[in-house]
Amino acid sequence: MTDTDATPTEVPVADADWWRQATVYQVYPRSFADSDGDGLGDIAGVTSRVPYLAQLGVDAIWLSPFYPSELADGGYDVADYRDVDPRLGTLADFDDMVAAAHGAGLKVIVDIVPNHTSDQHVWFREALASEPGSPARARYVFRDGLDGGATPPSTWPSNFGGSAWTRLTRPDGTPEQWYLHLFAPEQPDLDWSNPEVRDDFKATLRFWSDRGVDGFRVDVAHGLAKDLVEPLRDANPKDFGLPTDGSDPLYDRDEVHEIFQEWREVLDEYDPPRTAVAEAWVARERVSLYARPTELGQAFNFELTRAEFDPAEFRTIIESNLELAAESGASSTWVLSNHDVVRHATRYGLPATTDGDAFLLSGGTSPELDRATGLRRARAASMLMLALPGSAYVYQGEELGLFEVADIPDDQLQDPVWIRTEHGLKGRDGCRVPLPWDTSSPAFGFGTHEPHLPQPAWFADSAVSVEEGDADSTLSLYRRALALRHQLQRGEDLTWVDDDPAVVHFARHDGWHSVTNFSTEAAALPEGEVLLSSGPVETPAGGAAQLPGETTVWLRVR
Ligand code: GLC
């Protein structure tokens, strides 16, 4: 056969845009499924639950860090970026997991933690064993103290409480230099002006991309570039937000974008190009800079994690983020819950005066939780999110309607926030409790051993095995919503329908409408075929169908 008479072979077209409208399920590996019975979730556990995730109807899974780690910060203290923590499995297990996910049509995203390593990383050990000014120390941020050495080099605070500087002591007890850690002392910050650091991370991106990983979630993307010119300037107080001109010494500096432009070149070496999503807690108008197609391509919008259950707030957040995403060329992202915030079923069930973050972090007595209200609103908000154009990020357990676990005994708390604030703030363990898969003991099907964080008795009501058999459960709602989203999701347009200020109503395409009533009073339900609702829709005898309070309905309007 010659070239001219060859019938063209069908080359599968790589869908480079798969992420734009994807639903991404966040797995917190240590708390998802434990295959070997040591109380800690693992990679083989994820593999075993791939059928569950495929049935749920998500498009991709994102794994929080599973790398070797001392677990000083839930795995966000990485000791080796190119391996699997032996407690969580092996690289072969990882390859099996990717193969199973891909076989089920799911993409795989992994977390990359570039701002800091673990203090167990070989580089930091080398730095400790080396002299001030040595190349080994130049990968991190070491400085002499002020006032003869005893005062930290600057006033910079750690995000977990206390100073961002820790002083080293020689084996003979003599104090010496300080090193920077914007998080826990076990998480020393890298110096990203060092080319060796830059090259090493590019090698890591290639390592996982070569293993078939489809994308990366970039931890603390806004923190890599720092103004280290002495004297070190004070940081902006957190309460006032970050400046919007890139002038903060620590976060959201303009130079950070050069790093991500280099990353984009690496991501584009692959077909389809690998995706990336930035975790960047920056001013709204600066988020889209990270999402430019020449950089990471997408950035998290966390505004819904901070919003009240309030129609005006939701509407403003949706409008502005769709505009910003369109400006950058990315699609928008939506997040109601993740491993760092109070689960949304709890946020919406707390008294209106309670700030969710304060509750998350409070060391004192938890305010009264109204579970029925919390769950009703959470289901409505989730359906609203799943009707929006863009990517929806679903955090493990939200599909079960889980609440935050508020009563973990103090002596079992693991979050470094708890320790760094000297037990003033509890931290994030309440959303990281291992999932309930069934009603068996001792771990609700999570594994065969006591889980690493204690599960409450009420998990029995929310176990997967229970909810699977209940057509009205939150799991059934997510499954139906995700199946419909797959059928209906085309294009990225949204048209607002303004009929009632208590209602957020928008139309997508082909007559698909999403209508959310934020008030507790019933509202008029627009005419149309009800496709799905987050709560029961009633039609009074002889009257028109009503949209109950705190409910979302999807309609097809002809
Ligand atoms: C990110 C992670 C958080 C972690 C922190 C430090 O904000 O989401 O869990 O503690 O980075 O790595």
Side-chain angles (χ1 to χ4, degrees):
M1 222 200 285
T2 65
D3 277 344
T4 41
D5 64 11
T7 40
T9 13
E10 248 188 64
V11 180
V13 180
D15 180 10
D17 282 341
W18 65 266
W19 50 275
R20 295 190 72 89
Q21 305 289 306
T23 307
V24 182
Y25 185 95
Q26 182 188 356
V27 169
Y28 188 72
R30 298 188 303 133
S31 297
F32 187 64
D34 171 17
S35 72
D36 59 7
D38 64 356
L40 210 57
D42 45 43
I43 298 291
V46 180
T47 311
S48 74
R49 298 296 179 177
V50 163
Y52 168 81
L53 297 170
Q55 195 186 357
L56 179 59
V58 298
D59 304 295
I61 51 179
W62 145 34
L63 274 83
S64 281
F66 48 81
Y67 312 108
S69 169
E70 285 302 296
L71 304 179
D73 179 23
Y76 284 91
D77 46 321
V78 179
D80 180 351
Y81 290 88
R82 297 178 212 147
D83 204 352
V84 173
D85 190 315
R87 285 163 295 185
L88 271 64
T90 61
L91 281 170
D93 291 336
F94 182 86
D95 293 341
D96 290 347
M97 188 272 300
V98 172
H102 285 170
L106 303 177
K107 308 282 188 196
V108 178
I109 294 172
V110 298
D111 222 304
I112 286 290
V113 188
N115 181 64
H116 42 265
T117 69
S118 155
D119 62 352
Q120 301 304 310
H121 192 284
V122 62
W123 276 1
F124 196 69
R125 289 162 173 260
E126 266 174 49
L128 292 188
S130 306
E131 287 305 310
S134 61
R137 289 214 173 172
R139 296 170 182 139
Y140 293 91
V141 183
F142 283 87
R143 290 290 179 278
D144 293 330
L146 305 176
D147 305 329
T151 307
S154 75
T155 57
W156 296 343
S158 151
N159 281 285
F160 291 156
S163 168
W165 295 96
T166 288
R167 194 171 193 186
L168 299 174
T169 314
R170 292 188 194 280
D172 67 3
T174 332
E176 50 130 325
Q177 284 196 302
W178 299 70
Y179 68 91
L180 179 69
H181 53 85
L182 292 183
F183 293 88
E186 296 85 354
Q187 295 168 295
D189 278 46
L190 288 164
D191 184 345
W192 273 85
S193 65
N194 184 331
E196 199 187 348
V197 171
R198 293 199 184 205
D199 288 347
D200 195 69
F201 271 85
K202 287 195 256 183
T204 295
L205 293 175
R206 290 192 181 99
F207 178 87
W208 294 107
S209 298
D210 290 342
R211 293 194 105 87
V213 154
D214 303 282
F216 298 90
R217 178 262 187 196
V218 184
D219 192 66
V220 197
H222 57 309
L224 310 194
K226 291 165 185 104
D227 181 3
L228 298 172
V229 174
E230 303 204 16
L232 303 175
R233 288 185 290 128
D234 286 349
N236 288 281
K238 252 189 158 181
D239 302 349
F240 298 109
L242 288 175
T244 54
D245 60 359
S247 64
D248 188 82
L250 298 177
Y251 297 105
D252 195 29
R253 296 186 58 74
D254 292 336
E255 305 91 271
V256 81
H257 297 291
E258 289 162 25
I259 298 169
F260 297 132
Q261 283 157 17
E262 287 179 17
W263 283 28
R264 175 45 59 193
E265 286 171 19
V266 176
L267 301 173
D268 283 351
E269 289 167 8
Y270 294 84
D271 183 20
R274 298 323 191 217
T275 66
V277 55
E279 184 211 27
W281 295 87
V282 301
R284 180 188 278 168
E285 58 269 42
R286 304 265 301 178
V287 173
S288 47
L289 301 177
Y290 297 77
R292 289 179 285 198
T294 47
E295 296 192 22
L296 295 176
Q298 208 177 38
F300 279 121
N301 141 35
F302 292 121
E303 293 189 64
L304 291 180
T305 68
R306 293 174 158 177
E308 297 288 323
F309 187 75
D310 175 86
E313 223 180 314
F314 265 65
R315 167 117 181 208
T316 307
I317 290 171
I318 295 166
E319 270 177 328
S320 50
N321 282 288
L322 288 176
E323 270 168 31
L324 289 170
E327 268 170 34
S328 69
S331 60
S332 196
T333 57
W334 309 106
V335 183
L336 288 166
S337 283
N338 66 27
H339 66 297
D340 287 330
V341 302
V342 173
R343 286 188 177 278
H344 60 288
T346 291
R347 292 201 310 269
Y348 298 147
L350 294 173
T353 50
T354 313
D355 162 358
D357 274 348
F359 168 75
L360 161 76
L361 297 171
S362 84
T365 322
S366 309
E368 193 65 33
L369 172 67
D370 177 347
R371 296 167 81 92
T373 301
L375 188 56
R376 190 168 54 246
R377 292 177 173 180
R379 290 166 58 108
S382 297
M383 265 187 70
L384 189 164
M385 168 175 83
L386 294 175
L388 290 170
S391 316
Y393 285 79
V394 170
Y395 177 53
Q396 68 177 39
E398 76 172 65
E399 79 279 18
L400 304 174
L402 289 189
F403 296 96
E404 191 82 358
V405 180
D407 50 4
I408 301 172
D410 288 357
D411 61 357
Q412 295 190 49
L413 289 172
Q414 300 173 4
D415 192 336
V417 167
W418 174 242
I419 297 148
R420 295 279 299 164
T421 61
E422 291 166 1
H423 300 186
L425 304 172
K426 267 193 182 161
R428 303 158 293 178
D429 292 320
C431 65
R432 300 174 175 187
V433 173
L435 289 192
W437 292 95
D438 59 40
T439 53
S440 64
S441 317
F444 294 105
F446 166 71
T448 54
H449 192 267
E450 290 289 330
H452 68 97
L453 280 169
Q455 299 158 306
W458 55 261
F459 262 26
D461 303 330
S462 302
V464 171
S465 65
V466 172
E467 294 207 14
E468 262 175 344
D470 175 1
D472 295 327
S473 70
T474 303
L475 178 57
S476 299
L477 180 71
Y478 267 75
R479 283 183 177 171
R480 286 203 295 269
L482 288 168
L484 275 169
R485 182 175 152 97
H486 265 280
Q487 282 168 29
L488 299 171
Q489 182 86 287
R490 274 189 304 284
E492 298 184 21
D493 303 327
L494 172 153
T495 312
W496 293 103
V497 183
D498 289 308
D499 29 30
D500 178 342
V503 169
V504 171
H505 179 176
F506 54 86
R508 293 294 308 277
H509 36 70
D510 304 329
W512 176 24
H513 284 234
S514 176
V515 196
T516 306
N517 180 2
F518 281 80
S519 85
T520 49
E521 307 295 319
L525 184 67
E527 265 183 45
E529 175 200 351
V530 174
L531 300 172
L532 186 65
S533 66
S534 67
V537 172
E538 276 144 29
T539 310
Q546 297 275 293
L547 173 62
E550 303 184 330
T551 300
T552 295
V553 174
W554 288 359
L555 296 168
R556 195 191 308 269
V557 178
R558 302 256 174 224

